Amino acid sequence: MAFVKIIIGLLTFILVSTGFLQAQNLKQDPKLLHGKLKNGFQYFIYPNHTNNQQTAIQLFVNAGSLQEEDNQLGLAHFVEHMAFNGSKHYPKNEVITYLESLGVKFGADLNAHTSYDETVYKITINSKTNENLEKALDIVSDWAFNLSFDSLEIEKERGIIIEEWRTKEGLSARLSDQTLPLIFANSRYGDRKPIGTLDILRHFQRSTLVDFYQKWYRPNLMGLAVVTNQDPKVVEKMVKKLFGNAKNRKPEAKRIAYRLSNHADTLIKIYTDKEASTIDFSYIGILPASKAVKTEADFFENLKRNAVNTLIKKRFDRIGQLDDSYKSASMSVSDLLLNNGLSVGGATLYEGQVQEGIAKFLKERERLLRYGFNSSELNDYREQYKKQLQRAPQNNELNANIMLSQLKDVFFTGQVLMDKDERNKQVLRDIDRLDSLNLLEHLQGYFKPGNTAVMLTAPERLGSKIPNEIALRQLFAQAKQADLKRWTDNIEIPTQLLSDKPTSGQVIQKQSINEIGVTKWELSNGSKVYLKKNDSRKDHVQLTAFRKGGFIAVDSADYVNAVFAKNIIGASGAGEFTRAALTKYLNGNSASATFMIAPNREGLSASANRKDIKTMFELLYLKWTQPRVDSKIFGSVKKQSLDAARNKKFQVMEAYNLAINKAIGADDLDESNLSADRIEKGLQLDRIVPVFKERFQSAKDFDFVLVGDFDADSIQPLVEQYIGGLPSGPYTSEQRIPEYTQRENQEIIQYAGQADKATVNLFYQTTSIQYDYPDILKNELMENVLKVKLRKNLREEQSGVYGVGVSVSATSEPTALMRTRINFTCEPSRADFLIEQVQVELEKIAKDPSYFTEELENAKVQIYQAYEKQWGKDTFWSAELRNHIYFQFANWSFFTTYKQMLHQIKAADIADYTNSKMSKAYQVKAVLLPESFKK
């Protein structure tokens, strides 16, 4: 179910800590500068010295769609949009243009959202100087108090928001329309969807919009969070100057704390839809919101909640390895609404096993509620958590987004922000106080009878084959009365990863690449290792390996097995270790190693903290040389894959997507397009290990990239033994290279779906490319210029789309190919006109370099700032070294002269590039229209 899946996806495990179970107040992080101005405006300023270039800002407004009057539905969200359409000091779209000139990307660094309870505005800006930061704060101040609401801009924005509404239409909207009234029954939430209603969006008066802004955008309902490289005291002076003079408009409307309505029963809804392709059973229980974390007792309650969520996930993951009654299942608890908590759970089911799958899920749910967790599960959790926290001080980089999220909680709930190190120390002192009894009591408190909505959604074609409401209630009752034993899981764990150490190879040649501070070692087994010492993450290393090969180097008879080998082998363990045994053996250890076989290459990714480096190498060697297949895992993967392949034909966009793939030449070797027949016949248990071994039988020609905080002399023996000790010899390197021949342009027009929207995809494809720098930068600049020009035309001028997607992808492996895709949804009757506008923009860019000079210069600033932001990180060096080696780039200019290379690219270069790579390219126009448009 779409709504429930969104909720489940948001329920991530956040490490929250606690101290002793007392009412003692927690101490605020002394680095946080928090104040309240005389007008009630609050500010939260937190220093970030781990990135000396960026400031992230968020403006919190304690008002959302719940504060709308009946004639204002959707206008809280509309006000948010108008912030980007003009204010007292920044007319019309000037704020976007100005910020883009400073390197801010619209959508990524400049954005906002409106929900039921809140509105949040977001800017991330380069703040090497105070001037940029003060300008950004001035813009935020204008958003808060000085929006202009220009009548012409309002009319333009109507179309944009209606198109945003249109993008959400379809199956997910219909599911939402069925489920939200059930969950939000008899509460204000039920008729206050943030997007609003079409009738009001089309017809509201300007005065109605302004009324909402003046009523709720007032200082005593606002807060500002700033995570910055600048001196907090200096920033505080700016905040006082820019936000201190605003007045609270009188009389003040009362800010009511709305909550969901309680009900004693379990409400059930069964819904089938023609376009549904999965069967989902789910429930949502209404809970009180958890207390804001202000005392040590509050922290302990949060610690219990996080433990319960994590342990439930681990339990259901393990059940999934042992049983295939359903595809997947989950349970969790979170506060996704300001004044309510929710318990969420459910299972995605197999056709033909609907009742069996629901019964299995409900019994496992009941087992958890009856007995909770055993000592082994709890001990593993404690050990893993402790080790994770002990490693945390080694990585002192501050994540600005996480900090902003925490500051948001401080503003909206009054939660105390603790110093990270002190918080972790408290957890390490307190975590052993978690026991099976207090966790069981905590868990049972979330899942009491009643106050719950249950939903079963399925394809319309299966309507007669799914349980009705009476049957669902019987399944709940049967689970409640079932004779269930405590959970046991007997796992035999070998005592060591490797029974015998591999015979060491040798480093036979060393070479220094002085331009970039990299050392290259050639090993006696034919592999090479590139070493980059880097201490951006203290005591941490990451290792990647790659070689040309992949699916297209495997005999066509084993293609299907090659596609699935990575997932099946990865889920089956290695050597004498089952997957569960390996997980328990490594519990609390930072070492990891994951293997992959991709369409045209194979390789691995591994990482560890310094003290676990040897384990990382042992794990790599074990998985490389002793792959295994678990028959249950194989059966489950095959069953799920067959089910997915069979259901794809019922998906509303399947025929459209297949036609596109055929037109652009992506159908022959696209692993996502495997038919059920190919999977049924081609996926064979006894071929998985042989295919994996074929791709990894020899380490010859593998390139390893080792980046991190290590000493080359001390790590050399490990490299020689565990990488140099890998088998050598010949391997199959010949690939079946796909052909992307130039052909006649194609037009695809198809009809499917009930939603009143057109889906447009435009492709421009060429094999005439040079995949190296600086052409790769031209790709990126062209993409950025196109995004801005199409946004200005299709969105801001024509009000025809909510957003325009532009992506430029290129490669030289396994063959040269460049593909540019432009996509959007729109009103069906306007599709042809908007496609024409795309062509108008392309022609202007291709013919007139002066037309996009400003956008090009802004794009250069944005791209270089993104480069600077990543420079020096382990992930930066690992990824870029891998690209340079794999694609055999001519030199190291990306690392040494990036800025000069970027700024040498002129508008005329991009005009020529657009002309040759798009205007003269093979083109595919693909439009999907609603069924009702079919003649």
Side-chain angles (χ1 to χ4, degrees), residues 838-858:
V838 171
Q839 299 307 321
V840 166
E841 293 299 326
L842 287 177
E843 288 177 14
K844 287 181 178 179
I845 292 170
K847 293 179 179 178
D848 183 7
S850 66
Y851 174 63
F852 59 90
T853 302
E854 180 182 43
E855 288 82 4
L856 177 62
E857 292 309 308
N858 290 349

Side-chain angles (χ1 to χ4, degrees), residues 29 47 351 365 399 607 624 674 795 856 879 920:
D29 187 336
E351 184 176 337
R365 175 181 180 270
N399 185 309
S607 65
W624 187 303
L674 289 174
R795 176 183 162 113
L856 177 62
K920 295 181 179 179

Side-chain angles (χ1 to χ4, degrees), residues 124 215 387 693 926:
T124 299
K215 186 175 184 179
K387 293 288 181 63
K693 285 185 174 180

Side-chain angles (χ1 to χ4, degrees), residues 546-559:
F546 47 91
R547 182 179 66 186
K548 294 180 184 179
F551 307 153
I552 60 175
V554 174
D555 187 282
S556 57
D558 268 327
Y559 178 79

Side-chain angles (χ1 to χ4, degrees), residues 286-288 301 304-305 308 312 331 333 343 365-373 436-450 452 480 486:
I286 299 170
L287 305 169
E301 290 303 302
K304 286 191 285 188
R305 170 183 283 200
V308 162
I312 289 175
M331 286 171 58
V333 178
S343 60
R365 175 181 180 270
E366 177 63 24
R367 194 193 310 274
L368 276 165
L369 296 179
R370 198 178 295 180
Y371 300 115
F373 312 101
S436 297
L437 181 59
N438 60 32
L439 288 182
L440 177 59
E441 291 173 346
H442 192 81
L443 173 61
Q444 290 173 338
Y446 293 132
F447 297 94
K448 295 179 179 178
T452 302
K480 195 72 176 174
R486 292 181 181 273

